[in-house]
Amino acid sequence: MSFQSLGLSDALLKAISKKGYTTPSPIQEKAIPPVLEGKDVLASAQTGTGKTAGFTLPLLHLLSENPKAKYRPIRALILTPTRELAAQVYANVREYSEFLNLRSAVIFGGVNQKPQAATLRQGIDVLVATPGRLLDLQNQGIVSLKRVEIFVLDEADRMLDMGFLRDIERVIKSMPEKRQNLMFSATFSKDIKKLAHGILNHPVQVEATPENTTVDAITQKVYRVAKGLKTGLIIKLISEGNWKQVLVFTRTKHGANRLTEKMMKSGITAAAIHGNKSQGARTKALSGFKSGRVRVLVATDIAARGLDIPLLPHVINFELPNISEDYVHRIGRTGRAGASGEALSLVSADETSFLRGIEKLIEMKLPVQIIEGFEPDPNASTAPIKQGQGRQQRSPRNNSNNSNRNSNKKNNSRRPKRNSDRRN
Ligand code: AMP
């Protein structure tokens, strides 16, 4: 299958070849034709599958085929749960529309609204937005969605996890009833199905499982270690292994900060990325990591979700996630596309039940190693860490754009009950 045979315009094919893509990914193969036919689509796909191009390419094709008024009302709205994802989707829209006469913009919270408002006033065809800022600007009369022809709801499951249902409903009410709808979600809970039922009109259903979550392709190992010795052990592993690009997961924002500071003190360049960091700080941390200036990126699940981080040789779980599926998503950051990857987990006694839950989910026992000098504490309690312990309170609404949840699940039927008190 080629991009040409999917029926995309020459201008789009040129942009695709500039990006270096040669063949469509499975989700692109499945989603692009029905979107081009004007149908509603319900797609099961997560980050890493090429889903963004799966909806962006046909969307741009449809808009450019049928140019409209000169003043450029917003004709396509792409709603995403987080600003990182919004920025990434927007970057893709820009690249794919390079040879088209279409204008696009992105709006999200946490930054000054003035430049966003100024761009919108000039008229744009495609808007990528997070719900909070979109509704703010709509209330101020800066955004009108009355001419939207195509609506994309990206990462719908995470939208619901983050408490955006009411916001989504409000956005939908402000658009014309007759429009094309595309909905992407990694999981399909009852709530998602209900949402899909309310939004989509006889949708074509497509599905793609990401290549990067095949657990078998990744070497996994558990280091049993006393809680207080974890920092020493991670520094030893990174320094002695001379690892250059390591993604480390912690459960909390404070944990991420603390670990980053300790790494820096021991001479390892590190940066933290989580919901309390400003947009600028997050962008800087990510670009430093991508360019190799920063050796270690310490992230919470929510901050890492949706990040376009290329193939990584090492992922370390400084702490195990309490949601087993988050483990699968974390380690899916390594061993992509057949490249070798290693996922290590530092596990203390109080994480034993998390480890068991993960092993049950991935249906394998993880090999355990103990490093001399970093032994587990034989007297430590195996009682699980209490949720919310030592964490910050957060309100779902205030948190709308500066945090996201890792809910990138492959199999919803195995998804544990969520703890509403869980924080990242
Ligand atoms: P996404 O799932 O949309 O976040 O995309 C994941 C990554 O795959 C991004 O870095 C895209 O640039 C890349 N990508 C998307 N489509 C293709 C393709 N057909 N061939 C190669 N890479 C792709």
Side-chain angles (χ1 to χ4, degrees):
M1 172 77 76
S2 66
F3 279 107
Q4 279 88 344
S5 61
L6 289 174
L8 295 166
S9 69
D10 286 347
L12 284 167
L13 293 175
K14 199 169 153 189
I16 291 166
S17 94
K18 200 173 163 192
K19 279 285 279 177
Y21 304 165
T22 49
T23 43
S25 71
I27 194 73
Q28 291 162 2
E29 256 180 43
K30 291 178 197 163
I32 292 174
V35 180
L36 286 177
E37 284 171 31
K39 293 187 174 139
D40 279 12
V41 169
L42 176 60
S44 161
Q46 48 188 252
T47 301
T49 55
K51 70 179 166 74
T52 316
F55 60 77
T56 309
L57 292 170
L59 177 154
L60 293 171
H61 180 103
L62 292 176
L63 295 185
S64 61
E65 248 198 343
N66 178 19
K68 282 273 161 70
K70 280 216 171 57
Y71 70 93
R72 295 181 189 265
I74 297 165
R75 296 175 60 202
L77 171 68
I78 304 171
L79 209 54
T80 77
T82 67
R83 34 185 168 172
E84 274 86 7
L85 190 60
Q88 255 166 242
V89 170
Y90 173 61
N92 277 295
V93 170
R94 288 286 301 259
E95 286 171 323
Y96 302 141
S97 59
E98 184 180 345
F99 307 106
L100 298 171
N101 177 22
L102 290 172
R103 279 200 226 139
S104 53
V106 63
I107 57 173
F108 46 72
V111 293
N112 188 345
Q113 76 160 50
K114 275 191 189 154
Q116 298 178 351
T119 309
L120 292 171
R121 282 201 189 93
Q122 287 166 16
I124 52 139
D125 305 279
V126 182
L127 179 64
V128 185
T130 54
R133 178 58 58 95
L134 176 65
L135 288 169
D136 281 352
L137 293 179
Q138 230 181 342
N139 290 340
Q140 295 170 51
I142 297 167
V143 168
S144 165
L145 301 176
K146 292 205 170 76
R147 304 284 296 271
V148 168
E149 297 160 37
I150 308 174
F151 170 54
V152 183
L153 188 62
D154 197 11
E155 304 209 347
D157 49 351
R158 189 145 52 125
M159 290 272 194
L160 294 192
D161 278 353
M162 291 175 70
F164 283 140
L165 181 59
R166 297 283 299 277
D167 287 355
I168 295 170
E169 286 169 352
R170 260 189 273 161
V171 169
I172 286 171
K173 275 200 191 114
S174 64
M175 290 189 286
E177 262 180 45
K178 195 176 164 295
R179 51 168 207 273
Q180 186 177 6
N181 301 288
L182 318 175
M183 183 167 146
F184 285 73
S185 187
T187 58
F188 282 92
S189 63
K190 244 202 228 148
D191 288 343
I192 288 290
K193 284 184 189 144
K194 202 168 136 201
L195 182 69
H197 188 73
I199 296 178
L200 305 166
N201 189 11
H202 301 296
V204 173
Q205 290 201 29
V206 297
E207 194 174 340
T209 41
E211 288 157 32
N212 64 3
T213 50
T214 47
V215 174
D216 314 345
I218 302 158
T219 310
Q220 299 169 76
K221 203 190 283 179
V222 163
Y223 289 100
R224 281 290 198 167
V225 56
K227 208 180 180 82
L229 298 177
K230 281 191 177 185
T231 306
L233 178 57
I234 199 170
I235 291 173
K236 178 185 161 78
L237 291 170
I238 294 171
S239 330
E240 290 184 3
N242 201 19
W243 298 340
K244 298 281 184 258
Q245 222 180 16
V246 191
L247 181 62
V248 175
F249 285 96
T250 60
R251 241 190 339 256
T252 66
K253 300 176 216 174
H254 290 304
N257 285 342
R258 270 198 304 271
L259 184 60
T260 304
E261 279 165 27
K262 286 183 182 152
M263 295 234 181
M264 295 293 278
K265 274 193 190 135
S266 66
I268 297 172
T269 49
I273 189 158
H274 55 66
N276 277 4
K277 294 268 174 188
S278 70
Q279 185 60 30
R282 288 200 250 181
T283 309
K284 196 170 154 227
L286 188 61
S287 66
F289 185 64
K290 280 188 176 174
S291 72
R293 269 181 288 117
V294 173
R295 254 170 101 183
V296 180
L297 190 67
V298 186
T300 56
D301 290 292
I302 51 168
R305 174 83 198 271
L307 286 185
D308 189 12
I309 299 172
L311 202 139
L312 290 171
H314 303 283
V315 168
I316 304 182
N317 296 307
F318 185 73
E319 291 149 331
L320 285 180
N322 54 309
I323 305 277
S324 304
E325 283 87 345
D326 285 356
Y327 174 84
V328 177
H329 188 249
R330 285 181 179 188
I331 70 165
R333 300 283 180 176
T334 184
R336 288 186 177 189
S340 69
E342 201 174 28
L344 310 175
S345 302
L346 312 193
V347 181
S348 51
D350 55 358
E351 294 171 298
T352 304
S353 61
F354 298 163
L355 180 61
R356 297 288 164 260
I358 289 162
E359 288 179 332
K360 204 167 154 209
L361 174 70
I362 62 175
E363 292 171 351
M364 66 185 271
K365 267 230 164 295
L366 295 175
V368 174
Q369 200 175 332
I370 294 175
I371 304 275
E372 212 184 317
F374 297 92
E375 289 86 0
D377 177 355
N379 301 317
S381 161
T382 53
I385 300 161
K386 281 204 189 92
Q387 297 316 302
Q389 204 172 54
R391 319 247 173 110
Q392 292 177 311
Q393 286 294 328
R394 85 176 194 214
S395 86
R397 190 62 189 81
N398 291 343
N399 202 39
S400 59
N401 285 332
N402 66 5
S403 174
N404 59 56
R405 296 283 328 282
N406 185 345
S407 56
N408 206 352
K409 309 302 176 303
K410 255 173 103 179
N411 184 344
N412 190 54
S413 62
R414 295 195 287 194
R415 185 173 178 172
K417 203 164 173 257
R418 293 217 165 256
N419 186 332
S420 58
D421 195 33
R422 181 178 173 231
R423 333 238 176 269
N424 275 281

